[in-house]
Every structure is written in C-alpha cells, then in structure tokens.
Amino acid sequence: MFDRPDTAAVRSYLRNLQKRLIQSFLTLDPTAQLIADDWSRPQGGDGCTRVIQGEILEQCGINFSHVQGERLPPSASAQRPELAGRGFEAMGVSLVAHPLNPYVPSSHLNVRFFIAAGEEGEPIWWFGGGFDLTPYYGYEEDVIHWHRTARALCEPFGTDLYPRFKAWCDEYFYIRHRQEPRGVGGIFFDDFAEGGFDHTFAFVRSVGDGYLSAYLPIVERRKDQTYGERERAFQRLRRGRYVEFNLVQDRGTLFGLQSGGRAQSILVSLPPEVSWRYDDRPEPGTLEAELYERFLIVRDWLGE
C-alpha cells in the first residue's frame, strides 16, 4: 500500500507557520510596517506574500505559496529526471530577513513539499528546506548558537541528520563563481522522504518551529550595536553576494520563475539596498577581513 501524504495537513501547518513567524517579527519590532498581498495563480494555486519593513528588519519577506502545474520545471526535476514533464503540486513557506543593523546577520528559512504524479496512480512526494545564516560581521558565539540549535532540532530524528544536512548546506550555499560560502551555513535538505510521511513531516515541523529559537537570540544580542556608514557600505557589498547566489544558483528562485510564479513575491528575497565595487577587498587586520578569514570558510563549528 502506498504511503500517501496528507497534503491538507501540510498546507494547514505551513499557513500557520507563516502567521507565527510574522507575529514574532512584529513583536520584535512593533513599529514595523506589514505589507500584505494575497494572490491567485491562473495556472493553478494561490499564495500569501507578507513583507515587514521596520527599524530592525529593513526588509523581511515571508511567503506562503501553493501551486499546481502540468509539467515539473527543470529546477525541480534535476535530481529526479524520471519525473520531468509530470504534473506536480508544490507548497512551502520561505523567509528571508535582511536586518538594518550590519551587526545583525541576514537569515533564510524554507520548508517545502512537492508531490508529483507517479506511475499507476502512485504519488511521488518529498520535503525540502532548512535554514542558513549570513553574517556581515562574525561572532563565534552567534554561529555556535545557530548550529547548536540546528543540531538539537535534528537529533530526535536521527543523530546522522545534522552532520549530513550541515554538509549539504555548506555545499549548496556556496557561490561557485566567487569560490566562497554565502555565509556560515546551517542545515539544508532536499528530496527527503526517509521513514515515511509522518516521520518526515514531523522533522520538517521541527525545523520550521525551531527557526526562531535559532535566530531571534542573535538578533536581540546585536540589534542595538552602534554602526556607521563604513559598516553599512560593507553590508551592501556583502548583500551583493546574496543577490548573485539567489539569481544564478538558487533552485527555489529558479523553480518559482520557471513555473510562472509572481516575480515580485519570488524576488522579495533580495535585499533593498545593495552595491558592487570592482575588486573589493577588505583592509588586512579589520573586522571586514576577519569575516573572510574566520567565518566564510567551511568549519565544524560544534566540534572545534
């Protein structure tokens, strides 16, 4: 008998997760403006785009989408070529937070579910997602807290998951044309259906529910640090790397665009202010140089 997923339960959880994430960030920054944009898709599906803009979060996009289509886009079938051209259903919540203060890292959370039509009526389904951290100024205590929380969320489902998904995150969020990581990693997984639907869905809920316990303590610790134009200029340069990764490599962005998604919702992941400068290199001995030397490298943060 097929292990049939409960798509209604997944949708209900994702909608609730989006609401809880929004409320938590509005509590963090009560002066923030919330932009709400509900939409429907002519090809099938609907979604809710929410954008928070305030004194702490310069821009934070928190999206829910649930779409259907007749042909799975290449970005989604790259790992499963046998499904190319099949009908599909996809839903997920994606969050990208770009704080105003350069000492507060940007962060990303995504949890998503795919189901495609298999042979003889058998549904083929999987989950994907994870979260990663992109600091502009590095603090080891922040990164260790981030990874320690990620490990704690994974361990009830198998002690092998954190090292596997940490390594996958380091590999995935690597800007190949720059030959540098996007940030300090976290966890990332895709095509994940181990242990059956109930087990896998419980793991995905652990990741989604635990994200705030990983990120908010870092925000609280850094949000009141004093900064000036030097720090903002470096933040804008580093945000340029974020843009490059999202537009050139990120499978989620490519899936959204290839499946005919709403560009304004998909591209809300991009920071509001960004810059590029030819051959930008930080001065030796500065905090900016330290980011490259000590943080933008693959490290076993919990084993050192």
Side-chain angles (χ1 to χ4, degrees):
M1 187 165 180
F2 301 140
D3 181 21
R4 292 194 177 274
D6 187 344
T7 55
V10 177
R11 178 184 169 98
S12 177
Y13 167 73
L14 292 173
R15 288 298 306 270
N16 182 261
L17 175 63
Q18 182 195 33
K19 292 175 183 176
R20 287 185 284 124
L21 292 169
I22 293 167
Q23 187 55 54
S24 294
F25 281 128
L26 291 178
T27 300
L28 174 72
D29 189 356
T31 65
Q33 177 188 13
L34 176 65
I35 301 171
D37 185 10
D38 296 335
W39 50 269
S40 60
R41 183 171 175 266
Q43 304 95 318
D46 66 321
C48 319
T49 297
R50 300 291 184 265
V51 182
I52 296 172
Q53 297 172 334
E55 297 176 358
I56 296 175
L57 297 175
E58 186 172 18
Q59 181 165 291
C60 176
I62 308 176
N63 291 343
F64 165 80
S65 64
H66 182 185
V67 301
Q68 299 90 33
E70 295 181 357
R71 297 176 62 85
L72 200 64
S75 59
S77 60
Q79 305 301 315
R80 293 172 175 262
E82 73 277 10
L83 299 182
R86 301 277 184 90
F88 73 93
E89 186 174 354
M91 64 183 83
V93 166
S94 179
L95 178 155
V96 178
H98 290 296
L100 181 65
N101 190 321
Y103 289 107
V104 182
S106 289
S107 76
H108 161 248
L109 162 73
N110 178 258
V111 284
R112 57 188 180 274
F113 175 73
F114 281 89
I115 183 168
E119 296 180 359
E120 301 178 358
E122 177 184 0
I124 299 174
W125 59 268
W126 66 93
F127 285 96
F131 51 64
D132 67 288
L133 192 71
T134 306
Y136 306 99
Y137 291 89
Y139 294 91
E140 288 205 4
E141 63 178 319
D142 295 349
V143 183
I144 290 172
H145 163 78
W146 179 260
H147 280 276
R148 187 172 289 154
T149 305
R151 182 176 64 184
L153 297 173
C154 292
E155 282 189 333
F157 302 90
T159 56
D160 66 313
L161 291 189
Y162 169 74
R164 281 172 54 196
F165 294 165
K166 189 267 186 192
W168 201 343
C169 188
D170 290 336
E171 179 182 355
Y172 183 80
F173 291 103
Y174 186 80
I175 307 172
R176 292 189 293 269
H177 60 275
R178 294 282 188 177
Q179 298 186 356
E180 67 184 37
R182 187 172 84 171
V184 295
I187 53 174
F188 176 82
F189 57 95
D190 203 359
D191 299 303
F192 187 60
E194 296 174 11
F197 175 77
D198 290 342
H199 178 82
T200 313
F201 185 27
F203 169 71
V204 169
R205 294 198 304 270
S206 178
V207 173
D209 296 344
Y211 163 77
L212 290 174
S213 63
Y215 187 49
L216 288 186
I218 299 173
V219 178
E220 292 283 2
R221 190 181 296 139
R222 305 296 167 200
K223 65 183 178 64
D224 296 321
Q225 287 188 222
T226 302
Y227 65 90
E229 178 52 32
R230 176 195 176 107
E231 290 85 358
R232 280 286 282 174
F234 184 65
Q235 180 193 50
R236 288 192 290 267
L237 280 172
R238 290 302 311 165
R239 283 175 169 181
R241 303 291 206 270
Y242 209 100
V243 171
E244 291 174 21
F245 177 87
N246 276 29
L247 295 183
V248 174
Q249 290 179 220
D250 184 61
R251 283 172 58 186
T253 302
L254 296 176
F255 170 81
L257 297 175
Q258 290 173 357
S259 62
R262 302 174 79 244
Q264 63 266 40
S265 295
I266 298 163
L267 300 181
V268 75
S269 63
L270 304 183
E273 291 191 14
V274 62
S275 66
W276 285 267
R277 188 167 61 226
Y278 180 74
D279 198 25
D280 58 278
R281 300 185 187 187
E283 297 177 18
T286 62
L287 291 177
E288 291 82 5
E290 184 183 53
L291 178 75
Y292 290 89
E293 295 163 0
R294 294 180 56 197
F295 293 90
L296 295 183
I297 57 176
V298 175
R299 291 175 56 178
D300 179 6
W301 292 97
L302 303 183
E304 295 179 5

